Amino acid sequence: MPFKNLLRRGMCFSYLLQIPLRDCISIKAPEDNEANNPFTRETSGGISVVCNQAFLIKERNIIAPYKTVRGTTEHLFQLDVAGKVGDVVQTLHQLYRASCLDKMGDQAAMITAILQSRLARTSFDKNRFQSISETLNMECKAEMVTPLVTNPGHVCVTDANLYFQPLNGYPKPVVQITLQNVRRIYKRRHGLMPLGLEVFCTENDLCSDIYLKFYSCQDRDELYFLIATYLENHITEHTAESYMLQWQRGHLSNYEYLLHLNNLADRSCNDLSQYPVFPWIIADYSSSVLDLTKPETFRDLSKPIGALNKERLDRLLTRYQEMPEPKFMYGSHYSSPGYVLFYLVRVAPEYMLCLQNGKFDHADRTFNSLAETWKNCLDGATDFKELIPEFYENDSSFLVNSLKLDLGKRQGGKTVEDVELPPWASGPDDFLQKSREALESQYVSEHLHEWIDIVFGYKQKGTEAVAAHNVFHPLTYEGGVDLNSIMDPNEKVALLTQILEFGQTPKQLFTIPHPQRILSKSSSRTSIHSVSITESPVSANEESFEDLTEESITLAWNNIAKLKLDEQYKIHKEAITGIAVTGNGSSVFTTSQDSTLKMFSKDSKTLQRSVSFSNMALSSCLILPGDTTVISSSWDNHIYFYSIAFGRRQDILMGHDDAVSKICWRDGRLYSASWDSTVKVWHCVPGETLSNKKHHFELLAELEHDVSVNTIDLNAANTILASGTKEGTISIWDVTTATMLHQLPYHSGTVFDAAFSPDSRHLLSAGEDCCFKVIDVQTGTLISSVTADEPQRCFKWDGNTILSGSQSGELLIWDLLGGKVTERIRGHTGGVTSMWMNEQCNSVITGGEDKQIMFWKLQY
C-alpha cells in the first residue's frame, strides 16, 4: 500500500517501502517530548521503525526491480487514526517475534494465532448492510483470495446480499455481491484443502467476482448452500457432463467449454498455482500465411507437451524406467505460478517481482518470442508448459511492453520489448484473432477431446496416464498428499510451499474416454479433408430439399410448446400400448392391453376395424413399408402379421418364450424384444413374394440379456441397437456383429422408453425411477441425468428438447441442457403410455391408460 515516508533530508517521494520484519532493530511509538519528532508539529499517531535493511518498490511510480537500502535507518510513519497506534505497534511486535523463529512451520503457526486473535476481537459491521430490512443468515471468518495474497476479514450472508469486510479495508471497506446476480458458484481446493469458494456473476467470464477461503470446510459448505438456493437448477446446469453435452452439440465454443472445465477442475485466475490451463494449438510459427486447412499446422492434441518430441521422450522414458518409486516422467509441470507470470510479465510485472524476490527473470529466459517459446517447449529438457486463456481472448496487452518495463538485454545485446510474433500475424490483435480461429477450427473441434482426456480425463492418472506418457510428480495430483496427516508443522509448510510453487494437476473430471464433438454438416463440408462439389453424391436439389426439411423440423421443435389438442377418441377398453400411422396419415392403428388391434380413420373420424388375435394383451405395433401389413407383438409370446388389404391375419411368428414387449422394423429386418431376456433379429421376406403367401423368417441373431427386456430402439444407420430392461440396465449392441458394446446400470427399476438422438450420437432413456439419462453411444458415458417429479412413460426428442408423456397424463416439454420443464400441457387422465410423431414433427398422437387416443397439432 503506498504511503509517504519522511526521510532525514525532509524530502517526500512516492514509493512503496518494504521492511523485512526480521531486519527491524526497533518498532515503537515516538515519545511526545522528542525534539526531532516531526509528528509533534501536527498531530499524534506516529510509529518509528529502525531497521538495517529495506527495499524501495515502485520508486517514482516506476515498476522496476526492487532497490535495496542497506545500513541502519529510521522510518517514521503516521497513521490516519491516531488511536490505533498502540494496537499497530503491539501487532508489529508479535509479527517480529514470529519472523525471528527459525522454522517456517513455527512462523506460520504463530502468524495464524495472531490473525485469529484479531479476527476474534472484531465482527462484521452491520451498518454496512444495503437495507435495514435485510435478514442475517450467516457470519463467519474468511479470507479473500487474490493472486499471491489472501486478505483476512469477515463474511456475512443475508437474504439479499453476500458481504466481505476485510480487516484492513482493502481493496475497499466492504465488498458486496447481490445474490440475485450470482450465476455460478464453485467449491475450490485452496492450498490443497477443500476450503475455497468462488462466486461468478457472469456465465462465461474468465475472472470471478470474489474468491473466498474459509477456515473450516463446514463454513464453506454452509455458505455454498445459502448461495445455491438463489441459483436455479445450479446442480444440473453446472456439471462437467452437462457442459460436455452442450459442447458436443455446438451450444458452447471450444473456448467456452475449456473455460468451464477449468472452473470445474478448481482452476482460478485468483490462484496462480491453479491458473486456468489451455492447450498449445498452433505448431507453425514460421510461415507467412497460417493455413488452417493443413493438419501439420496444428499441434498433436492426443499427446502431452512432453511427448511431442520423440527424441526427448525417449530420454525421459529411459530415466523413468531407471527411477525408483514413486516414478514420474516430467520434472516440471505444464502449469505453475512461474509459467503463468512468464506469459503475463508485461501486464503483471509486480506479481513477477513479488514471486522472484524483487527481480525480473534473466532477459534470455523472458517471454521474448512465440517461435522460441514453442521450440523450447518441444526441445527443452525441463520445459513442458501449456498456454493460458489469454492467448485466445481479445486483450493483447500481455504481448506488448506498454508499461516500458526494463526487462533487460539478451546475450546478443537486444533489448527485451514486445513479444516477437510469427510472420503470419500482422500485429498482436491479429495474432489473437488467428489463434481464436485456430482454436475453433475444424481440426481442433475433431481432436480437442483427446487433449481433454490427458488434462482433465481418464489419461490423467493410473495405467492410462503411463501409456499416454503423461505422468508427473505424485505430489501434483489431487489426493497425492494428505496435509492433515502430517503432524510436523515445519514439514507441512515446506511440502505445501513446494507443491504450490511446482504446480498442480487439475481435478480429474472424467474417468472414461471423452466423446468427440458432433460436427455439423456445414462444418464437415469445410473440413480439412473436404471434397469438391462435383465429387459429392448428393445433388444440389436433393441437398436443398434436405436442408429445407431440417429447417422445418427445427422450426417445429422450437415451437413444440405450442402443441394443442385437436381431437380425442375412446376406442379401447384398456390402456393403449402402441400407435402406428399409414404413410398418408389417413389411418391410425392402435394396440391395447384389451388384446385388440384397431384401425381408426382420421378422415371420417370413425373406427373401421377391430381385430383380436388372442385373449392376451398386445404390446406394440408397426406398419411395414407400402402400408400393406401391420405387425403386432403380444404378451402370448407371438408376433402377428395382419394384412390391411385382405383384412385378416396373414402370419404368426412364434419366436419367444415369454411376452414380446416391443418390435422394430428396418430394411427387411424385424427386431423383437421379450421378457424372455432376449432381443432377436429376424430376416423377413414378405408373403406376397412367395407362392404360399406366408412370410419366411430367418433368425439372424439373438442378443441375450440377464433379465426381461422392456424396450428397444435402433440408430439411423441400423447398426446399433439399444435395449432397456425391467431392472434398469441399458445395453448398447453392435447388431452387425451381435456383440454388446456397453452394459450400463443407469436406472433403478424398469426402463420405459429409450431412443437415439437424430444424429445417433446420444441415447436418451426414461425409467420407473423418474429419471431421464443421456448416454454417449460411443463411450457409454452418462452425460446427463435429469430427475422428474414422476415417471415419464414415453417420449420423443430432437437431441436438445424432450416431449414426454407422464404418469399423471400431462405432456411435458423439457429443456434438456437446462434440466428443467419449460411447459406442461394437460392431456390424459391416466398415464401416457404411447406416443407417435410424424416426420415433420408437427403432429403427435398419444395413447393413455384412460383408453383414449389424442391427436395433437402444432399451432404456430
Side-chain angles (χ1 to χ4, degrees):
M1 182 184 305
F3 53 83
K4 291 181 179 179
N5 180 38
L6 302 177
L7 299 179
R8 283 174 295 182
R9 293 182 181 178
M11 298 180 65
C12 202
F13 297 101
S14 173
Y15 53 81
L16 291 169
L17 181 66
Q18 182 187 66
I19 303 175
L21 283 166
R22 66 187 308 161
D23 289 333
C24 291
I25 299 171
S26 71
I27 303 170
K28 62 181 181 179
E31 299 295 335
D32 288 343
N33 58 4
E34 289 183 7
N36 295 329
N37 186 353
F39 293 107
T40 58
R41 289 193 291 268
E42 296 178 6
T43 182
S44 59
I47 296 177
S48 166
V49 178
V50 179
C51 62
N52 54 33
Q53 181 174 250
F55 300 97
L56 300 185
I57 303 173
K58 212 173 179 181
E59 191 175 11
R60 293 183 175 86
N61 209 31
I62 297 173
I63 301 173
Y66 300 171
K67 181 179 178 181
T68 306
V69 179
R70 293 188 174 87
T72 302
T73 54
E74 180 181 12
H75 304 277
L76 301 174
F77 306 94
Q78 182 174 333
L79 302 185
D80 291 336
V81 182
K84 293 289 186 179
V85 170
D87 185 34
V88 172
V89 171
Q90 181 184 14
T91 302
L92 287 173
H93 284 165
Q94 293 172 335
L95 293 170
Y96 169 74
R97 288 195 295 274
S99 72
C100 292
L101 297 174
D102 292 333
K103 296 181 178 179
M104 291 293 294
D106 296 335
Q107 289 184 20
M110 186 170 178
I111 291 171
T112 299
I114 295 168
L115 174 60
Q116 292 301 317
S117 175
R118 288 199 65 203
L119 287 169
R121 296 197 304 271
T122 58
S123 62
F124 185 87
D125 181 5
K126 308 302 187 298
N127 293 321
R128 296 287 184 175
F129 283 178
Q130 285 287 102
S131 168
I132 58 173
S133 63
E134 286 185 64
T135 302
L136 176 65
N137 288 330
M138 176 187 178
E139 181 181 349
C140 66
K141 299 174 287 186
E143 298 177 12
M144 186 171 72
V145 179
T146 58
L148 301 180
V149 176
T150 59
N151 202 354
H154 295 275
V155 169
C156 194
V157 185
T158 70
D159 56 347
N161 294 290
L162 166 68
Y163 299 96
F164 177 75
Q165 186 173 28
L167 279 179
N168 60 5
Y170 182 81
K172 51 187 177 180
V174 170
V175 178
Q176 179 227 333
I177 293 175
T178 302
L179 292 180
Q180 287 185 346
N181 293 337
V182 174
R183 292 293 174 267
R184 295 176 288 144
I185 52 175
Y186 298 97
K187 293 180 180 180
R188 294 278 187 240
R189 266 184 314 158
H190 186 273
L192 304 187
M193 301 292 286
L195 300 173
L197 184 73
E198 196 160 19
V199 180
F200 292 78
C201 291
T202 56
E203 284 295 345
N204 294 309
D205 277 4
L206 178 64
C207 296
S208 64
D209 290 81
I210 194 168
Y211 186 160
L212 297 170
K213 173 206 167 187
F214 296 82
Y215 297 110
S216 79
C217 187
Q218 182 179 351
D219 284 345
R220 191 274 304 267
D221 291 346
E222 184 178 349
L223 189 133
Y224 177 88
F225 174 78
L226 288 171
I227 299 178
T229 58
Y230 287 83
L231 290 179
E232 216 176 326
N233 298 308
H234 64 281
I235 294 175
T236 54
E237 286 183 358
H238 300 141
T239 63
E241 289 76 16
S242 65
Y243 282 134
M244 179 208 294
L245 181 63
Q246 293 182 58
W247 171 75
Q248 271 196 288
R249 309 200 70 78
H251 296 284
L252 290 176
S253 66
N254 292 339
Y255 170 83
E256 289 170 333
Y257 186 42
L258 290 175
L259 203 60
H260 287 307
L261 292 184
N262 272 284
N263 270 322
L264 290 170
D266 281 340
R267 314 303 284 191
S268 168
C269 291
N270 288 305
D271 186 351
L272 295 182
S273 68
Q274 297 188 96
Y275 203 79
V277 56
F278 270 58
W280 283 95
I281 293 295
I282 299 169
D284 178 4
Y285 294 94
S286 58
S287 300
S288 58
V289 176
L290 185 67
D291 189 347
L292 298 181
T293 65
K294 294 165 56 179
E296 52 267 29
T297 297
F298 299 92
R299 165 258 183 103
D300 184 349
L301 289 165
S302 68
K303 299 176 181 178
I305 289 291
L308 293 176
N309 182 332
K310 187 179 183 305
E311 184 179 331
R312 177 178 65 176
L313 179 62
D314 289 342
R315 294 195 302 268
L316 292 169
L317 289 177
T318 300
R319 188 191 68 174
Y320 174 75
Q321 298 298 334
E322 298 170 351
M323 187 181 295
E325 294 292 346
K327 295 183 175 185
F328 54 91
M329 295 179 186
Y330 308 115
S332 63
H333 206 258
Y334 51 77
S335 176
S336 69
Y339 286 160
V340 173
L341 295 179
F342 167 85
Y343 291 125
L344 298 180
V345 63
R346 289 169 176 81
V347 290
E350 290 161 292
Y351 289 151
M352 175 66 87
L353 291 171
C354 180
L355 190 70
Q356 297 205 147
N357 298 316
K359 298 177 181 177
F360 289 126
D361 204 351
H362 190 280
D364 285 303
R365 290 195 297 268
T366 300
F367 182 29
N368 291 298
S369 156
L370 263 303
E372 283 183 19
T373 303
W374 170 244
K375 185 177 185 302
N376 204 50
C377 288
L378 289 180
D379 302 336
T382 60
D383 193 347
F384 313 107
K385 59 179 171 284
E386 292 279 9
L387 296 182
I388 55 177
E390 281 79 356
F391 280 83
Y392 304 103
E393 294 180 346
N394 296 311
D395 185 358
S396 62
S397 59
F398 75 102
L399 300 170
V400 182
N401 188 15
S402 57
L403 296 175
K404 304 302 179 186
L405 302 170
D406 183 3
L407 297 173
K409 292 185 177 181
R410 308 189 64 182
Q411 286 185 354
K414 185 178 180 181
T415 302
V416 177
E417 291 292 346
D418 298 345
V419 176
E420 185 179 326
L421 303 174
W424 45 259
S426 61
D429 290 340
D430 185 56
F431 170 78
L432 292 190
Q433 173 66 28
K434 288 185 168 67
S435 295
R436 287 193 299 273
E437 290 172 3
L439 179 62
E440 304 301 335
S441 68
Q442 178 82 9
Y443 179 90
V444 175
S445 293
E446 289 174 349
H447 296 279
L448 186 59
H449 66 286
E450 298 172 330
W451 186 83
I452 292 170
D453 282 336
I454 291 169
V455 176
F456 300 106
Y458 82 111
K459 292 183 179 180
Q460 188 195 89
K461 298 178 182 178
T463 56
E464 294 289 351
V466 175
H469 307 131
N470 191 38
V471 183
F472 294 86
H473 195 285
L475 292 179
T476 67
Y477 296 94
E478 183 179 26
V481 61
D482 180 7
L483 288 180
N484 290 324
S485 66
I486 302 174
M487 296 296 104
D488 185 344
N490 299 299
E491 181 184 349
K492 182 182 291 187
V493 169
L495 191 61
L496 180 59
T497 302
Q498 176 187 348
I499 293 170
L500 296 183
E501 290 181 356
F502 184 87
Q504 297 177 68
T505 300
K507 179 190 294 182
Q508 189 175 27
L509 300 178
F510 307 102
T511 56
I512 58 178
H514 191 291
Q516 190 175 12
R517 191 171 199 181
I518 300 168
L519 299 174
S520 66
K521 185 163 53 177
S522 60
S523 64
S524 63
R525 289 189 192 120
T526 58
S527 161
I528 54 177
H529 305 296
S530 62
V531 295
S532 67
I533 295 175
T534 56
E535 294 175 296
S536 173
V538 182
S539 71
N541 289 336
E542 287 176 311
E543 188 173 56
S544 61
F545 175 76
E546 182 181 326
D547 289 343
L548 196 61
T549 305
E550 287 181 3
E551 286 180 12
S552 65
I553 291 173
T554 301
L555 179 65
W557 276 102
N558 287 342
N559 291 275
I560 200 72
K562 297 177 181 177
L563 204 63
K564 302 295 181 184
L565 180 61
D566 187 34
E567 298 168 312
Q568 64 187 90
Y569 303 94
K570 187 175 180 179
I571 59 175
H572 281 281
K573 296 179 181 179
E574 296 293 341
I576 313 296
T577 57
I579 302 172
V581 182
T582 55
N584 60 11
S586 62
S587 297
V588 178
F589 289 84
T590 56
T591 52
S592 168
Q593 289 183 5
D594 66 7
S595 78
T596 63
L597 168 71
K598 294 185 184 288
M599 176 179 170
F600 183 85
S601 172
K602 184 79 165 56
D603 298 331
S604 64
K605 301 179 183 179
T606 58
L607 180 64
Q608 294 190 324
R609 297 182 193 178
S610 180
V611 183
S612 183
F613 302 116
S614 74
N615 61 356
M616 298 287 283
L618 298 178
S619 57
S620 67
C621 62
L622 58 85
I623 300 177
L624 293 186
D627 292 343
T628 58
T629 304
V630 179
I631 309 178
S632 302
S633 57
S634 173
W635 284 8
D636 67 1
N637 312 351
H638 301 339
I639 299 170
Y640 295 94
F641 291 73
Y642 175 80
S643 171
I644 299 174
F646 295 101
R648 60 180 172 83
R649 189 186 72 198
Q650 190 174 0
D651 213 336
I652 303 175
L653 172 59
M654 295 178 284
H656 287 278
D657 299 323
D658 205 338
V660 182
S661 53
K662 185 76 178 288
I663 52 175
C664 295
W665 177 277
R666 299 286 179 84
D667 291 343
R669 293 186 177 185
L670 177 68
Y671 302 81
S672 59
S674 170
W675 295 354
D676 66 5
S677 306
T678 67
V679 174
K680 293 184 178 180
V681 185
W682 310 87
H683 178 60
C684 188
V685 180
E688 286 77 9
T689 63
L690 300 173
S691 58
N692 62 3
K693 303 296 184 182
K694 294 286 187 179
H695 290 73
H696 173 68
F697 304 105
E698 177 188 357
L699 180 62
L700 300 179
E702 185 171 335
L703 312 179
E704 295 186 358
H705 297 65
D706 297 328
V707 293
S708 299
V709 183
N710 197 59
T711 187
I712 54 173
D713 190 46
L714 280 107
N715 68 346
N718 307 325
T719 56
I720 305 294
L721 179 143
S723 58
T725 71
K726 282 194 171 185
E727 292 189 0
T729 300
I730 300 289
S731 297
I732 299 178
W733 302 80
D734 181 345
V735 292
T736 62
T737 59
T739 56
M740 183 187 292
L741 303 176
H742 306 289
Q743 189 173 24
L744 311 166
Y746 286 157
H747 287 278
S748 57
T750 301
V751 180
F752 286 135
D753 202 359
F756 287 91
S757 58
D759 57 21
S760 301
R761 298 293 185 98
H762 296 117
L763 179 77
L764 178 67
S765 59
E768 187 180 8
D769 56 4
C770 305
C771 289
F772 282 117
K773 305 285 184 176
V774 181
I775 301 163
D776 181 81
V777 175
Q778 180 184 5
T779 64
T781 307
L782 180 62
I783 294 175
S784 180
S785 179
V786 179
T787 303
D789 296 332
E790 59 180 335
Q792 305 299 301
R793 298 287 297 274
C794 54
F795 65 83
K796 299 294 179 183
W797 75 312
D798 71 338
N800 298 312
T801 304
I802 307 171
L803 173 66
S804 67
S806 68
Q807 183 66 49
S808 64
E810 288 183 312
L811 298 188
L812 303 183
I813 297 167
W814 297 78
D815 170 16
L816 185 56
L817 300 180
K820 58 187 177 184
V821 176
T822 59
E823 192 74 30
R824 292 178 179 270
I825 305 172
R826 293 184 61 182
H828 295 265
T829 55
V832 185
T833 52
S834 187
M835 182 180 293
W836 172 89
M837 178 181 275
N838 68 343
E839 187 178 351
Q840 291 75 31
C841 305
N842 56 16
S843 177
V844 174
I845 305 174
T846 57
E849 289 178 339
D850 59 1
K851 310 161 193 175
Q852 304 239 23
I853 57 170
M854 293 186 172
F855 294 81
W856 306 81
K857 281 187 177 180
L858 276 185
Q859 296 182 2
Y860 297 113

